[in-house]
Amino acid sequence: MEKPSRRTTIYDIAELAKASPSAVSSVLNGTWKKRRISAKLAERVMKLAEKQGYAVNAQASLLRREKSNVIGMIVPKYDNRYFGQIAERFEEMARDRGLFPVVTCTQRDPDLEFEAAKELVSWQADCVISTGATDPDRISAFCAAAGVQALNLDLPGKAAPSVVSDNFAGARTLTALILDRCNAEFGDVQPLRFVGGRLSDHNTAQRLKGFLQEHQARGIEVPETHILATGYSATKSATALADFRPQGPTGLFVNSTIALEGVVKWLGNLGAAGAQVRYGCFDWDPFGRFLPGNVGMVEQDVDEMMTRVLALVGETGQADAVIHVPCRLHVFGAA
Amino acid sequence: MEKPSRRTTIYDIAELAKASPSAVSSVLNGTWKKRRISAKLAERVMKLAEKQGYAVNAQASLLRREKSNVIGMIVPKYDNRYFGQIAERFEEMARDRGLFPVVTCTQRDPDLEFEAAKELVSWQADCVISTGATDPDRISAFCAAAGVQALNLDLPGKAAPSVVSDNFAGARTLTALILDRCNAEFGDVQPLRFVGGRLSDHNTAQRLKGFLQEHQARGIEVPETHILATGYSATKSATALADFRPQGPTGLFVNSTIALEGVVKWLGNLGAAGAQVRYGCFDWDPFGRFLPGNVGMVEQDVDEMMTRVLALVGETGQADAVIHVPCRLHVFGAA
DNA sequence: GCCATTTGCACAATCGATTGCGCATGTTTG
DNA sequence: CAAACATGCGCAATCGATTGTGCAAATGGC
């Protein structure tokens, strides 16, 4: 409540307590018993620290220490259930492990990603986790040069161990669900359409692979024109579908909630014909179950992914190791 | 690519470049022209720094500087459109202003909130923004004692300037929309029900005030039993409504997307009677427009709030000043 | 009452980057 | 050719906390 001038330091408190800075330091960081500081002095110091609004200067403290216990994460976005949950669980679980989580959001911008990683290294992070990074290997290379551990999450890299969802298996299961449902409700076995995402994106490619494999296993041929991986935006997927006015039963594999927005919009414009459309989405949203025609959604197992990736912190694993985490399938409106 | 042992410092580079640490420092922080370092040496140093994976030690750097340019924010959650967007825009806009944003998520836990604020002060944040904090004044008091600026966002406090949505006006407008729609579609003027949130929560109280005022202005009496502010969870709002099986036209004011989930679930169980239900939600979600019966949603103006709060950084304003930011109303399925 | 411990604390070096100051060499001017 | 600058860079103090070491004073044992 006193000096709005400069921040209180251990020197200020030492003066007030008539003690040395080293004694004050050890009281405030809990090592005072080991340093044989009397309980009397300790209490006096702690009272003063509280009254003065003392907070340790992390800069000075970390500068002197060897391990920082800072663990950094870069995520592309927060405004999305999946990454939001990742950031949130990361902070929570890192704290539980006695680490200081620092998360930073890089808007899918490769340069910003790199800058952010560099910044995290500047903050003496012991480990940097790149989530959904456009160019994870560039970050890994920098971290390697700086002597900092790097890990990848959600998108795999070649230069650091990765933890990713099992997109292939998840997509195959979802494809099977949609096909089964179309079959059960309409007695139909037409090939589905794949909507949203970019083929150059690793996860989309994996999902498409699962999508195609399930069709193949059933002896259903998928025409090229059914692959509408036109990018990540509701508008793009709505546009991709715009010309398509289904005659009869139709099934869609929707590659993200953002694409799902476009699909639902398209469906709304379809009128009565929409009743013959069934779809599933590779991604999860709490409102998904209320959307008509939605037969199921795949939820990535954020907790498990986070457990796995945090288990790698401090370990020296194979640089190109990839851990696949199974997804959870939510089935809606089952008969 | 060399030493996985210790991190590269300016001393390492100075040795390699056959220069002094001070020269290296000024080259790497961009002040070398002012210090009349030759371009030749500068280039040599920068090349070496890159090769060695050098990243400035922020601890050492900030320790010596006077202003940190670090700006901290605590948010309750990320896994929600509103707070996710807040965190994301905060980082973006803070960076644009040359600041270093540090965001931390505190799970609506008052103690964790306080710890996090303390941590931010430890990191020498020049300013701490408490978003939706349970006890913002406690944080403000600590910051004041530590000589750090405090600001409140989303929920107002008494001890630091606040930027909040105009919940009252937003709620009144939304209430008007729902009443109008019920009237237009069913010729009905029954009082609405208020679902979700907690009355002890400032924002809920404000919204309820707007809700009641709009009813009063129309001469509609709202019975006590229509206020179902039973907390923040989909289950709770579904439970609160469980016994209610509307006979005839019904309107609901839904106080958050999380409560909306409960409402939609309840609506699903209602069957055909659900066709006579209209509702609006104070909160925004991209899938909201696709939910049957939803006449509109109120979106808080995150960009404007962030602009306003960032404008306060570094200013010394009235401690209890409150800035109200108007909300945006999204109207769905207008005739 | 004297030596041996134990207790309680202070000293000072250190972490890595920043920055005011100053000292040599060039270079220009008159 | 000397004085006056300009150029290019190194020295050393400093930020605040940590920690190995050391030294009095208090306590205990005989």
Side-chain angles (χ1 to χ4, degrees):
Chain A
M1 324 290 187
E2 280 80 13
K3 39 191 80 165
S5 47
R6 213 181 279 86
R7 263 162 239 201
T8 314
T9 71
I10 52 167
Y11 298 93
D12 302 328
I13 296 184
E15 197 165 346
L16 291 169
K18 293 189 197 312
S20 73
S22 56
V24 172
S25 170
S26 65
V27 169
L28 294 174
N29 67 26
T31 59
W32 56 281
K33 275 150 297 183
K34 269 149 267 171
R35 290 191 134 255
R36 296 183 314 221
I37 303 293
S38 66
K40 208 178 95 183
L41 175 55
E43 183 145 356
R44 189 150 35 100
V45 165
M46 291 192 287
K47 282 243 171 70
L48 278 167
E50 179 136 4
K51 201 181 339 193
Q52 300 289 319
Y54 175 83
V56 66
N57 184 321
Q59 268 71 50
S61 176
L62 287 183
L63 181 56
R64 195 60 179 68
R65 287 184 199 287
E66 63 310 337
K67 281 200 69 180
S68 72
N69 283 337
V70 170
I71 177 165
M73 171 177 269
I74 67 168
V75 294
K77 305 283 286 177
Y78 291 130
D79 72 345
N80 154 310
R81 294 274 169 178
Y82 177 53
F83 290 121
Q85 211 184 335
I86 285 183
E88 189 169 323
R89 300 295 289 139
F90 169 69
E91 284 199 18
E92 203 174 346
M93 294 173 69
R95 260 184 237 282
D96 286 347
R97 286 162 175 71
L99 305 171
F100 296 100
V102 179
V103 183
T104 169
C105 173
T106 52
Q107 311 281 353
R108 301 190 194 284
D109 173 340
D111 292 327
L112 191 50
E113 275 171 14
F114 188 71
E115 283 312 307
K118 206 164 171 178
E119 213 172 275
L120 290 172
V121 171
S122 283
W123 289 93
Q124 305 305 105
D126 292 329
C127 175
V128 171
I129 303 179
S130 304
T131 309
T134 335
D135 192 354
D137 291 348
R138 183 167 163 221
I139 294 173
S140 301
F142 176 79
C143 287
V148 174
Q149 186 185 22
L151 294 172
N152 299 313
L153 188 65
D154 182 60
L155 277 179
K158 290 263 152 245
S162 308
V163 174
V164 301
S165 285
D166 190 344
N167 288 288
F168 174 79
R172 190 160 172 186
T173 318
L174 181 63
T175 306
L177 172 69
I178 308 170
L179 285 169
D180 285 347
R181 199 63 77 79
C182 285
N183 201 16
E185 297 195 44
F186 311 121
D188 194 71
V189 288
Q190 295 300 304
L192 308 180
R193 279 170 172 76
F194 186 99
V195 184
R198 242 184 298 274
L199 292 181
S200 57
D201 166 29
H202 173 273
N203 288 347
T204 296
Q206 287 298 304
R207 293 172 194 172
L208 181 61
K209 220 163 119 184
F211 172 87
L212 292 175
Q213 187 129 124
E214 182 61 25
H215 278 85
Q216 196 182 357
R218 296 176 180 226
I220 309 175
E221 183 120 5
V222 182
E224 282 269 339
T225 55
H226 277 212
I227 315 299
L228 306 169
T230 52
Y232 288 104
S233 99
T235 322
K236 280 178 185 156
S237 44
T239 310
L241 285 168
D243 300 329
F244 173 46
R245 299 198 65 86
Q247 319 286 22
T250 301
L252 305 175
F253 180 110
V254 187
N255 192 28
S256 65
T257 41
I258 185 80
L260 182 60
E261 287 178 42
V263 167
V264 180
K265 195 171 244 169
W266 165 78
L267 207 56
N269 296 331
L270 225 52
Q276 301 246 76
V277 177
R278 290 295 176 273
Y279 56 91
C281 180
F282 200 111
D283 215 345
W284 184 80
D285 185 283
F287 288 106
R289 66 167 65 248
F290 306 118
L291 300 175
N294 194 0
V295 302
M297 302 184 91
V298 172
E299 183 181 13
Q300 303 186 56
D301 191 342
V302 170
D303 274 36
E304 179 65 14
M305 291 172 81
M306 207 54 69
T307 305
R308 294 306 210 90
V309 79
L310 284 176
L312 294 176
V313 174
E315 304 294 310
T316 47
Q318 195 90 10
D320 56 352
V322 178
I323 295 176
H324 291 272
V325 175
C327 300
R328 281 196 291 255
L329 179 70
H330 295 263
V331 178
F332 304 142
Chain B
M1 324 290 190
E2 280 81 14
K3 40 190 79 164
S5 47
R6 214 181 280 86
R7 264 161 238 200
T8 314
T9 71
I10 52 167
Y11 298 93
D12 301 330
I13 295 184
E15 197 165 347
L16 291 170
K18 292 189 199 314
S20 73
S22 56
V24 172
S25 169
S26 64
V27 168
L28 294 174
N29 67 27
T31 59
W32 56 282
K33 274 151 296 182
K34 269 149 268 173
R35 291 193 130 251
R36 297 185 311 224
I37 303 293
S38 66
K40 208 179 98 183
L41 176 54
E43 182 144 358
R44 190 150 35 103
V45 166
M46 292 192 286
K47 282 243 172 70
L48 278 166
E50 179 135 5
K51 199 176 350 191
Q52 300 291 318
Y54 175 82
V56 67
N57 183 321
Q59 269 71 51
S61 175
L62 288 183
L63 181 56
R64 194 59 178 68
R65 289 184 198 286
E66 64 309 338
K67 282 200 67 180
S68 73
N69 284 336
V70 170
I71 177 164
M73 170 177 269
I74 66 168
V75 296
K77 304 284 284 178
Y78 291 131
D79 71 345
N80 154 310
R81 294 273 168 179
Y82 177 53
F83 290 122
Q85 212 184 334
I86 285 184
E88 190 170 321
R89 301 294 291 138
F90 169 70
E91 284 199 18
E92 202 174 346
M93 293 174 69
R95 259 184 239 281
D96 285 347
R97 286 162 174 71
L99 305 170
F100 295 100
V102 179
V103 183
T104 170
C105 173
T106 53
Q107 311 281 352
R108 300 190 195 285
D109 173 339
D111 291 328
L112 192 50
E113 275 171 14
F114 187 72
E115 283 312 306
K118 207 164 171 177
E119 215 172 273
L120 290 172
V121 171
S122 283
W123 289 93
Q124 306 305 104
D126 293 328
C127 176
V128 172
I129 302 179
S130 304
T131 308
T134 335
D135 192 354
D137 291 348
R138 183 165 163 224
I139 294 173
S140 302
F142 176 79
C143 286
V148 174
Q149 187 186 21
L151 294 172
N152 298 313
L153 188 65
D154 182 58
L155 278 179
K158 289 262 151 249
S162 308
V163 174
V164 301
S165 285
D166 190 343
N167 288 288
F168 174 78
R172 190 160 174 189
T173 317
L174 181 63
T175 306
L177 172 69
I178 308 170
L179 284 169
D180 285 347
R181 200 62 79 79
C182 285
N183 200 15
E185 296 195 45
F186 311 120
D188 193 71
V189 288
Q190 296 300 305
L192 307 180
R193 278 171 172 77
F194 186 99
V195 184
R198 242 183 297 273
L199 292 181
S200 57
D201 167 27
H202 173 274
N203 288 347
T204 295
Q206 287 299 305
R207 294 171 194 174
L208 181 61
K209 222 163 115 185
F211 172 86
L212 293 175
Q213 186 129 124
E214 182 60 26
H215 278 86
Q216 196 181 356
R218 297 178 180 225
I220 309 175
E221 182 120 5
V222 182
E224 283 268 338
T225 55
H226 278 212
I227 316 298
L228 306 169
T230 51
Y232 289 104
S233 98
T235 322
K236 280 178 185 156
S237 44
T239 310
L241 285 168
D243 301 330
F244 173 47
R245 299 198 63 86
Q247 318 285 24
T250 301
L252 306 175
F253 179 108
V254 187
N255 191 28
S256 66
T257 41
I258 185 81
L260 182 59
E261 286 178 42
V263 168
V264 180
K265 196 171 243 170
W266 165 78
L267 205 57
N269 295 332
L270 226 52
Q276 301 245 75
V277 177
R278 291 295 175 272
Y279 56 91
C281 179
F282 200 111
D283 216 346
W284 184 81
D285 186 283
F287 288 105
R289 66 167 65 247
F290 306 118
L291 301 175
N294 194 0
V295 303
M297 301 185 91
V298 172
E299 182 182 13
Q300 303 186 56
D301 191 343
V302 171
D303 273 35
E304 179 64 16
M305 292 172 80
M306 208 53 69
T307 305
R308 295 305 211 92
V309 79
L310 284 176
L312 294 176
V313 173
E315 305 293 310
T316 48
Q318 195 89 9
D320 56 352
V322 178
I323 295 176
H324 290 272
V325 175
C327 300
R328 280 195 291 254
L329 179 68
H330 295 262
V331 178
F332 304 142

